[in-house]
Protein backbone atom coordinates (compact mmCIF):
# COMPACT_ATOMS: atom_id res chain seq x y z
CA UNK A 1 0.00 0.00 0.00
CA UNK A 2 1.37 3.42 -1.03
CA UNK A 3 1.70 5.94 1.74
CA UNK A 4 0.51 9.50 1.57
CA UNK A 5 4.08 10.81 1.14
CA UNK A 6 4.87 8.34 -1.62
CA UNK A 7 1.63 9.27 -3.46
CA UNK A 8 2.55 12.93 -3.22
CA UNK A 9 5.99 12.20 -4.73
CA UNK A 10 4.42 10.18 -7.57
CA UNK A 11 2.01 13.01 -8.38
CA UNK A 12 4.81 15.59 -8.27
CA UNK A 13 7.04 13.48 -10.51
CA UNK A 14 4.16 12.99 -12.96
CA UNK A 15 3.40 16.70 -13.04
CA UNK A 16 7.08 17.51 -13.46
CA UNK A 17 7.50 15.05 -16.29
CA UNK A 18 4.32 16.25 -17.99
CA UNK A 19 5.40 19.88 -17.68
CA UNK A 20 8.88 19.05 -18.93
CA UNK A 21 7.49 17.02 -21.84
CA UNK A 22 5.04 19.76 -22.79
CA UNK A 23 7.84 22.36 -22.59
CA UNK A 24 10.10 20.26 -24.82
CA UNK A 25 7.23 19.72 -27.28
CA UNK A 26 6.47 23.46 -27.28
CA UNK A 27 10.14 24.28 -27.92
CA UNK A 28 10.29 21.76 -30.76
CA UNK A 29 7.13 23.16 -32.33
CA UNK A 30 8.46 26.70 -31.85
CA UNK A 31 11.79 25.80 -33.48
CA UNK A 32 10.03 23.96 -36.31
CA UNK A 33 7.73 26.92 -36.92
CA UNK A 34 10.62 29.38 -36.80
CA UNK A 35 12.53 27.34 -39.37
CA UNK A 36 9.56 26.82 -41.67
CA UNK A 37 9.59 23.05 -41.34
CA UNK A 38 7.17 21.47 -43.83
CA UNK A 39 6.67 24.56 -45.99
CA UNK A 40 7.92 22.77 -49.11
CA UNK A 41 5.12 20.24 -48.63
CA UNK A 42 2.28 22.40 -47.34
CA UNK A 43 2.60 25.51 -49.56
CA UNK A 44 2.26 23.69 -52.93
CA UNK A 45 -0.87 21.93 -51.65
CA UNK A 46 -2.38 25.23 -50.52
CA UNK A 47 -1.67 26.86 -53.90
CA UNK A 48 -3.09 23.85 -55.76
CA UNK A 49 -6.28 24.17 -53.67
CA UNK A 50 -6.54 27.90 -54.39
CA UNK A 51 -6.09 27.94 -58.20
CA UNK A 52 -9.16 27.68 -60.52
CA UNK A 53 -10.35 24.35 -61.87
CA UNK A 54 -8.26 23.10 -64.77
CA UNK A 55 -5.11 24.89 -63.64
CA UNK A 56 -1.97 23.26 -62.25
CA UNK A 57 0.73 24.81 -60.08
CA UNK A 58 4.37 24.04 -59.40
CA UNK A 59 6.64 25.50 -56.69
CA UNK A 60 10.43 25.60 -56.71
CA UNK A 61 10.95 26.27 -53.01
CA UNK A 62 9.22 27.70 -49.93
CA UNK A 63 10.86 28.95 -46.77
CA UNK A 64 10.27 31.31 -43.90
CA UNK A 65 8.76 31.35 -40.41
CA UNK A 66 5.28 29.93 -39.95
CA UNK A 67 4.67 32.53 -37.24
CA UNK A 68 5.21 35.61 -39.40
CA UNK A 69 6.26 35.21 -43.04
CA UNK A 70 6.59 32.93 -46.06
CA UNK A 71 8.78 33.32 -49.14
CA UNK A 72 7.93 31.23 -52.22
CA UNK A 73 10.19 31.06 -55.29
CA UNK A 74 9.79 29.85 -58.87
CA UNK A 75 6.02 29.44 -59.04
CA UNK A 76 4.52 28.14 -62.29
CA UNK A 77 0.84 28.13 -63.24
CA UNK A 78 -0.63 26.56 -66.37
CA UNK A 79 -4.20 26.23 -67.51
CA UNK A 80 -6.58 26.30 -70.47
CA UNK A 81 -6.49 30.12 -70.70
CA UNK A 82 -2.72 30.59 -70.58
CA UNK A 83 0.28 30.28 -68.32
CA UNK A 84 1.98 32.35 -65.63
CA UNK A 85 5.19 32.34 -63.64
CA UNK A 86 6.31 34.24 -60.55
CA UNK A 87 9.96 34.53 -59.58
CA UNK A 88 9.20 35.28 -55.95
CA UNK A 89 6.17 35.75 -53.72
CA UNK A 90 6.66 37.09 -50.19
CA UNK A 91 3.94 37.25 -47.51
CA UNK A 92 4.11 38.83 -44.07
CA UNK A 93 1.25 38.25 -41.64
CA UNK A 94 0.13 38.10 -38.01
CA UNK A 95 -1.38 35.02 -36.38
CA UNK A 96 -2.96 36.52 -33.26
CA UNK A 97 -5.91 38.13 -35.15
CA UNK A 98 -7.00 34.62 -36.19
CA UNK A 99 -8.57 34.35 -32.73
CA UNK A 100 -10.94 37.15 -33.83
CA UNK A 101 -11.74 35.50 -37.19
CA UNK A 102 -9.47 37.94 -38.95
CA UNK A 103 -6.69 37.17 -41.45
CA UNK A 104 -4.22 40.02 -41.13
CA UNK A 105 -1.73 40.14 -44.01
CA UNK A 106 0.71 42.99 -43.55
CA UNK A 107 2.38 42.69 -46.93
CA UNK A 108 2.23 40.77 -50.20
CA UNK A 109 5.10 41.34 -52.62
CA UNK A 110 5.08 39.71 -56.06
CA UNK A 111 8.35 39.88 -57.98
CA UNK A 112 8.62 39.49 -61.75
CA UNK A 113 5.31 37.81 -62.59
CA UNK A 114 4.83 36.82 -66.25
CA UNK A 115 1.46 36.00 -67.82
CA UNK A 116 0.93 34.74 -71.37
CA UNK A 117 -2.33 34.07 -73.17
CA UNK A 118 -3.41 33.34 -76.73
CA UNK A 119 -6.67 35.04 -77.69
CA UNK A 120 -8.92 32.89 -79.86
CA UNK A 121 -10.33 34.62 -82.92
CA UNK A 122 -14.08 35.08 -82.72
CA UNK A 123 -14.28 34.58 -78.95
CA UNK A 124 -17.17 36.45 -77.39
CA UNK A 125 -17.40 38.20 -74.08
CA UNK A 126 -17.87 35.70 -71.30
CA UNK A 127 -16.63 32.71 -73.34
CA UNK A 128 -13.81 32.12 -70.84
CA UNK A 129 -16.02 32.53 -67.80
CA UNK A 130 -16.95 29.37 -65.95
CA UNK A 131 -19.77 28.88 -63.43
CA UNK A 132 -17.13 28.68 -60.69
CA UNK A 133 -15.44 31.93 -61.73
CA UNK A 134 -18.82 33.64 -62.03
CA UNK A 135 -19.70 32.58 -58.48
CA UNK A 136 -16.38 33.92 -57.19
CA UNK A 137 -16.92 37.22 -59.03
CA UNK A 138 -20.47 37.50 -57.72
CA UNK A 139 -19.27 36.99 -54.12
CA UNK A 140 -16.49 39.56 -54.59
CA UNK A 141 -18.90 42.17 -55.93
CA UNK A 142 -22.16 41.56 -54.11
CA UNK A 143 -21.65 39.05 -51.33
CA UNK A 144 -19.38 38.10 -48.47
CA UNK A 145 -16.25 36.83 -50.25
CA UNK A 146 -14.59 35.58 -47.06
CA UNK A 147 -17.76 34.38 -45.31
CA UNK A 148 -17.75 35.35 -41.63
CA UNK A 149 -14.03 36.09 -41.77
CA UNK A 150 -12.25 39.33 -42.58
CA UNK A 151 -9.15 39.37 -44.78
CA UNK A 152 -7.02 42.51 -44.90
CA UNK A 153 -3.96 43.13 -47.04
CA UNK A 154 -2.32 46.33 -45.85
CA UNK A 155 0.34 46.52 -48.56
CA UNK A 156 0.07 44.81 -51.95
CA UNK A 157 2.92 45.32 -54.40
CA UNK A 158 3.86 43.90 -57.78
CA UNK A 159 7.21 44.73 -59.39
CA UNK A 160 8.57 44.05 -62.86
CA UNK A 161 5.41 42.39 -64.12
CA UNK A 162 5.02 41.29 -67.72
CA UNK A 163 2.05 40.11 -69.81
CA UNK A 164 1.96 38.98 -73.43
CA UNK A 165 -1.26 38.58 -75.42
CA UNK A 166 -0.96 36.61 -78.65
CA UNK A 167 -3.51 37.16 -81.40
CA UNK A 168 -3.87 37.36 -85.14
CA UNK A 169 -2.21 40.80 -84.94
CA UNK A 170 0.92 39.42 -83.24
CA UNK A 171 2.25 39.75 -79.70
CA UNK A 172 0.87 42.63 -77.58
CA UNK A 173 3.25 43.23 -74.68
CA UNK A 174 2.74 44.87 -71.29
CA UNK A 175 6.11 45.14 -69.55
CA UNK A 176 7.83 46.70 -66.52
CA UNK A 177 4.47 46.73 -64.72
CA UNK A 178 4.37 47.88 -61.11
CA UNK A 179 1.34 47.94 -58.84
CA UNK A 180 0.71 49.34 -55.37
CA UNK A 181 -2.50 48.89 -53.43
CA UNK A 182 -4.40 47.33 -50.53
CA UNK A 183 -7.47 45.17 -50.03
CA UNK A 184 -10.14 44.22 -47.49
CA UNK A 185 -12.60 41.32 -47.85
CA UNK A 186 -15.18 41.23 -45.08
CA UNK A 187 -18.81 40.22 -44.41
CA UNK A 188 -19.70 43.77 -45.48
CA UNK A 189 -18.18 43.27 -48.95
CA UNK A 190 -15.00 43.89 -50.91
CA UNK A 191 -12.81 46.98 -50.89
CA UNK A 192 -9.82 47.20 -53.21
CA UNK A 193 -7.58 50.24 -53.51
CA UNK A 194 -5.35 50.46 -56.57
CA UNK A 195 -3.10 53.36 -55.67
CA UNK A 196 -1.19 53.05 -58.93
CA UNK A 197 -0.63 50.71 -61.84
CA UNK A 198 2.16 51.74 -64.19
CA UNK A 199 3.28 49.74 -67.20
CA UNK A 200 5.02 50.02 -70.56
CA UNK A 201 2.84 48.90 -73.48
CA UNK A 202 4.34 47.77 -76.79
CA UNK A 203 1.85 47.06 -79.61
CA UNK A 204 2.88 44.64 -82.37
CA UNK A 205 4.06 45.93 -85.77
CA UNK A 206 1.22 46.59 -88.20
CA UNK A 207 0.80 46.76 -91.92
CA UNK A 208 3.60 44.31 -92.61
CA UNK A 209 6.22 46.41 -90.83
CA UNK A 210 9.10 44.59 -89.17
CA UNK A 211 9.27 46.96 -86.21
CA UNK A 212 6.64 48.61 -84.05
CA UNK A 213 6.00 52.30 -83.59
CA UNK A 214 7.32 52.72 -80.07
CA UNK A 215 6.26 51.97 -76.51
CA UNK A 216 3.50 53.71 -74.60
CA UNK A 217 2.96 54.28 -70.89
CA UNK A 218 -0.17 53.10 -69.12
CA UNK A 219 -1.27 54.54 -65.76
CA UNK A 220 -4.34 53.56 -63.73
CA UNK A 221 -5.54 54.61 -60.26
CA UNK A 222 -8.87 53.24 -59.03
CA UNK A 223 -10.90 51.99 -56.06
CA UNK A 224 -13.52 49.24 -55.83
CA UNK A 225 -15.96 49.43 -52.93
CA UNK A 226 -19.45 48.03 -52.63
CA UNK A 227 -19.45 47.02 -56.31
CA UNK A 228 -18.61 50.59 -57.41
CA UNK A 229 -15.41 50.88 -59.42
CA UNK A 230 -14.19 54.47 -59.21
CA UNK A 231 -11.50 55.13 -61.80
CA UNK A 232 -9.67 58.20 -60.56
CA UNK A 233 -7.28 58.27 -63.48
CA UNK A 234 -6.79 56.27 -66.66
CA UNK A 235 -4.15 57.39 -69.14
CA UNK A 236 -2.23 55.94 -72.04
CA UNK A 237 0.45 58.01 -73.74
CA UNK A 238 2.49 56.74 -76.68
CA UNK A 239 4.26 58.26 -79.68
CA UNK A 240 0.96 57.87 -81.55
CA UNK A 241 -1.76 58.24 -78.91
CA UNK A 242 -2.85 60.30 -75.95
CA UNK A 243 -5.82 58.81 -74.09
CA UNK A 244 -7.35 60.06 -70.81
CA UNK A 245 -10.35 58.81 -68.89
CA UNK A 246 -12.09 58.88 -65.49
CA UNK A 247 -15.41 57.95 -63.98
CA UNK A 248 -17.46 55.36 -62.09
CA UNK A 249 -18.72 51.92 -63.05
CA UNK A 250 -21.26 50.08 -60.90
CA UNK A 251 -20.32 46.48 -61.62
CA UNK A 252 -22.95 43.78 -62.06
CA UNK A 253 -22.50 40.37 -60.47
CA UNK A 254 -22.08 38.90 -63.98
CA UNK A 255 -18.47 39.35 -65.22
CA UNK A 256 -18.15 41.87 -68.04
CA UNK A 257 -21.41 43.72 -67.32
CA UNK A 258 -22.23 46.95 -65.47
CA UNK A 259 -25.38 48.26 -63.77
CA UNK A 260 -24.52 51.94 -64.15
CA UNK A 261 -21.91 54.08 -65.90
CA UNK A 262 -20.64 57.61 -65.32
CA UNK A 263 -17.54 57.88 -67.47
CA UNK A 264 -15.64 60.34 -69.64
CA UNK A 265 -13.05 59.39 -72.24
CA UNK A 266 -10.84 61.75 -74.26
CA UNK A 267 -8.51 60.72 -77.07
CA UNK A 268 -6.45 63.43 -78.75
CA UNK A 269 -5.55 61.44 -80.74
CA UNK A 270 -5.91 57.64 -80.49
CA UNK A 271 -4.12 55.41 -82.97
CA UNK A 272 -6.23 52.25 -83.18
CA UNK A 273 -3.06 50.26 -83.88
CA UNK A 274 -2.09 50.84 -80.23
CA UNK A 275 -5.00 48.59 -79.15
CA UNK A 276 -5.01 44.76 -79.19
CA UNK A 277 -7.51 44.64 -82.05
CA UNK A 278 -7.68 42.84 -85.37
CA UNK A 279 -8.24 45.88 -87.59
CA UNK A 280 -9.63 45.66 -91.14
CA UNK A 281 -7.52 47.03 -93.96
CA UNK A 282 -9.30 50.43 -94.24
CA UNK A 283 -8.62 51.12 -90.55
CA UNK A 284 -5.00 50.07 -90.90
CA UNK A 285 -4.66 52.71 -93.61
CA UNK A 286 -6.54 55.36 -91.56
CA UNK A 287 -6.17 54.44 -87.88
CA UNK A 288 -6.21 57.90 -86.25
CA UNK A 289 -9.27 58.87 -84.17
CA UNK A 290 -9.89 61.96 -82.07
CA UNK A 291 -12.86 61.82 -79.73
CA UNK A 292 -14.54 63.12 -76.60
CA UNK A 293 -17.12 60.71 -75.20
CA UNK A 294 -19.29 60.62 -72.09
CA UNK A 295 -21.67 57.92 -70.91
CA UNK A 296 -24.14 58.33 -68.07
CA UNK A 297 -26.83 56.13 -66.56
CA UNK A 298 -27.78 52.44 -66.42
CA UNK A 299 -27.53 50.35 -69.60
CA UNK A 300 -31.30 50.43 -70.16
CA UNK A 301 -31.51 54.26 -70.11
CA UNK A 302 -28.00 55.45 -70.89
CA UNK A 303 -27.16 58.88 -72.26
CA UNK A 304 -24.26 58.93 -74.72
CA UNK A 305 -22.53 62.05 -76.04
CA UNK A 306 -19.86 61.68 -78.69
CA UNK A 307 -17.76 64.16 -80.62
CA UNK A 308 -15.36 62.37 -82.93
CA UNK A 309 -13.11 62.86 -85.95
CA UNK A 310 -11.74 59.96 -87.94
CA UNK A 311 -10.90 57.45 -89.06
CA UNK A 312 -10.04 59.02 -92.40
CA UNK A 313 -12.23 61.99 -93.26
CA UNK A 314 -15.19 60.91 -91.13
CA UNK A 315 -16.38 63.17 -88.32
CA UNK A 316 -19.51 63.58 -86.30
CA UNK A 317 -21.36 64.56 -83.16
CA UNK A 318 -23.99 62.37 -81.57
CA UNK A 319 -26.36 62.55 -78.61
CA UNK A 320 -28.10 59.26 -77.95
CA UNK A 321 -30.49 57.97 -75.30
CA UNK A 322 -30.85 54.21 -75.05
CA UNK A 323 -34.11 53.08 -73.49
CA UNK A 324 -35.02 49.46 -72.74
CA UNK A 325 -37.86 48.21 -70.59
CA UNK A 326 -37.27 45.33 -68.21
CA UNK A 327 -38.65 41.87 -68.93
CA UNK A 328 -42.44 41.96 -68.92
CA UNK A 329 -42.58 45.76 -69.07
CA UNK A 330 -44.92 46.62 -71.93
CA UNK A 331 -44.86 50.37 -71.27
CA UNK A 332 -41.23 51.10 -71.97
CA UNK A 333 -40.25 49.14 -75.07
CA UNK A 334 -36.54 48.83 -75.97
CA UNK A 335 -35.70 51.88 -78.06
CA UNK A 336 -32.93 54.20 -79.19
CA UNK A 337 -33.31 57.97 -79.53
CA UNK A 338 -30.52 59.53 -81.60
CA UNK A 339 -29.71 63.09 -82.57
CA UNK A 340 -26.59 63.16 -84.72
CA UNK A 341 -24.65 65.15 -87.27
CA UNK A 342 -22.31 63.06 -89.42
CA UNK A 343 -19.89 63.97 -92.19
CA UNK A 344 -18.11 61.20 -94.05
CA UNK A 345 -16.49 60.21 -97.31
CA UNK A 346 -16.49 56.41 -97.38
CA UNK A 347 -15.07 56.02 -100.88
CA UNK A 348 -11.74 55.07 -99.30
CA UNK A 349 -13.59 52.14 -97.70
CA UNK A 350 -14.90 50.99 -101.07
CA UNK A 351 -18.44 52.05 -100.11
CA UNK A 352 -20.54 54.23 -102.44
CA UNK A 353 -21.94 56.91 -100.08
CA UNK A 354 -25.33 57.99 -101.50
CA UNK A 355 -24.74 61.72 -101.04
CA UNK A 356 -22.07 64.32 -100.37
CA UNK A 357 -22.34 66.59 -97.34
CA UNK A 358 -23.92 66.44 -93.92
CA UNK A 359 -26.69 64.27 -92.59
CA UNK A 360 -28.80 65.32 -89.62
CA UNK A 361 -31.22 62.79 -88.23
CA UNK A 362 -33.63 62.34 -85.36
CA UNK A 363 -34.20 58.61 -85.05
CA UNK A 364 -36.32 56.57 -82.69
CA UNK A 365 -36.00 52.83 -83.11
CA UNK A 366 -38.19 50.26 -81.32
CA UNK A 367 -38.32 46.52 -81.71
CA UNK A 368 -41.83 46.55 -83.18
CA UNK A 369 -41.68 49.74 -85.23
CA UNK A 370 -39.35 52.16 -86.96
CA UNK A 371 -40.06 55.90 -86.79
CA UNK A 372 -37.38 58.12 -88.27
CA UNK A 373 -37.11 61.57 -89.73
CA UNK A 374 -34.01 62.93 -91.39
CA UNK A 375 -32.70 65.95 -93.22
CA UNK A 376 -29.91 65.81 -95.78
CA UNK A 377 -27.95 68.70 -97.21
Amino acid sequence: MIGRGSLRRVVLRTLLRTTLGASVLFVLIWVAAANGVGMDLVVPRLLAWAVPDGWTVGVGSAEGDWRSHVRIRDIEFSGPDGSATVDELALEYRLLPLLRRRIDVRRIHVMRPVFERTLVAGAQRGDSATPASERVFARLIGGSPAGDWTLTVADLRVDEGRAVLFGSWGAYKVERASLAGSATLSPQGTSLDLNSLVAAVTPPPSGGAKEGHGTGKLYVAARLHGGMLAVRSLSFHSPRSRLEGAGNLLLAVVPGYVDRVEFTLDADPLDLRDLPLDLPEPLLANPIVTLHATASGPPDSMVLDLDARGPGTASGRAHAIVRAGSTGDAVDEPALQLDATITADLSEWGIAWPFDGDMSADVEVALDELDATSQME
Side-chain angles (χ1 to χ4, degrees):
M1 183 173 181
I2 301 176
R4 183 175 299 177
S6 299
L7 180 60
R8 184 183 296 112
R9 286 193 296 269
V10 171
V11 172
L12 290 176
R13 282 198 302 267
T14 302
L15 290 175
L16 180 60
R17 290 172 180 174
T18 302
T19 303
L20 181 60
S23 300
V24 172
L25 180 61
F26 176 79
V27 170
L28 291 175
I29 294 175
W30 187 268
V31 171
N35 288 275
V37 174
M39 280 190 177
D40 282 333
L41 296 176
V42 175
V43 169
R45 293 179 179 273
L46 290 176
L47 289 177
W49 172 77
V51 297
D53 294 338
W55 283 72
T56 60
V57 60
V59 174
S61 64
E63 61 184 22
D65 184 336
W66 284 114
R67 302 167 302 172
S68 60
H69 66 274
V70 177
R71 191 178 301 274
I72 313 169
R73 293 186 175 91
D74 301 326
I75 310 172
E76 297 182 357
F77 302 92
S78 61
D81 297 332
S83 63
T85 62
V86 177
D87 279 3
E88 183 175 296
L89 172 63
L91 293 89
E92 299 178 6
Y93 50 84
R94 296 192 305 160
L95 295 179
L96 190 59
L98 291 174
L99 300 176
R100 303 192 302 271
R101 304 181 69 83
R102 185 181 184 93
I103 304 172
D104 189 354
V105 180
R106 293 182 173 181
R107 185 169 178 261
I108 297 179
H109 190 191
V110 184
M111 288 292 294
R112 292 177 292 278
V114 178
F115 175 73
E116 295 185 353
R117 181 177 181 182
T118 299
L119 300 180
V120 179
Q124 301 296 321
R125 178 179 61 180
D127 281 356
S128 61
T130 64
S133 64
E134 290 182 356
R135 287 194 298 269
V136 171
F137 186 85
R139 291 192 65 179
L140 282 174
I141 298 303
S144 301
D148 294 333
W149 287 72
T150 297
L151 167 65
T152 61
V153 180
D155 183 15
L156 172 62
R157 294 188 180 275
V158 177
D159 287 325
E160 293 297 320
R162 184 171 183 265
V164 184
L165 300 178
F166 296 97
S168 58
W169 21 259
Y172 193 88
K173 301 177 182 178
V174 180
E175 301 174 297
R176 302 192 299 278
S178 63
L179 179 150
S182 60
T184 300
L185 281 67
S186 72
Q188 287 71 44
T190 300
S191 178
L192 303 174
D193 282 293
L194 179 60
N195 298 330
S196 65
L197 169 62
V198 181
V201 178
T202 305
S206 58
K210 294 183 179 180
E211 297 183 359
H213 296 270
T215 297
K217 181 180 180 180
L218 174 69
Y219 175 81
V220 182
R223 184 172 190 264
L224 173 64
H225 182 71
M228 177 66 75
L229 176 62
V231 181
R232 296 190 296 269
S233 177
L234 166 65
S235 68
F236 174 71
H237 296 170
S238 77
R240 306 184 297 193
S241 301
R242 185 178 181 87
L243 180 70
E244 305 278 350
N248 299 323
L249 303 172
L250 181 59
L251 303 181
V253 295
V254 179
Y257 291 83
V258 295
D259 284 335
R260 187 174 182 85
V261 177
E262 302 286 343
F263 208 87
T264 300
L265 190 67
D266 288 287
D268 190 16
L270 171 64
D271 191 318
L272 298 178
R273 294 171 297 181
D274 281 339
L275 304 178
L277 299 175
D278 191 6
L279 299 175
E281 190 60 37
L283 284 181
L284 284 175
N286 298 278
I288 306 300
V289 175
T290 300
L291 64 87
H292 172 78
T294 62
S296 177
D300 59 356
S301 58
M302 186 178 298
V303 178
L304 305 173
D305 283 287
L306 177 68
D307 186 353
R309 296 191 302 276
T313 60
S315 65
R317 293 183 177 88
H319 176 79
I321 301 176
V322 181
R323 295 190 296 105
S326 59
T327 303
D329 186 353
V331 177
D332 193 11
E333 293 291 341
L336 168 68
Q337 294 177 334
L338 175 66
D339 181 9
T341 301
I342 302 172
T343 302
D345 178 6
L346 299 184
S347 59
E348 57 197 87
W349 293 66
I351 300 175
W353 193 246
F355 67 93
D356 295 326
D358 298 337
M359 180 183 72
S360 300
D362 296 322
V363 182
E364 182 173 347
V365 182
L367 293 181
D368 57 349
E369 63 177 344
L370 175 63
D371 180 14
T373 60
S374 64
Q375 177 181 356
M376 300 182 186
E377 299 177 356

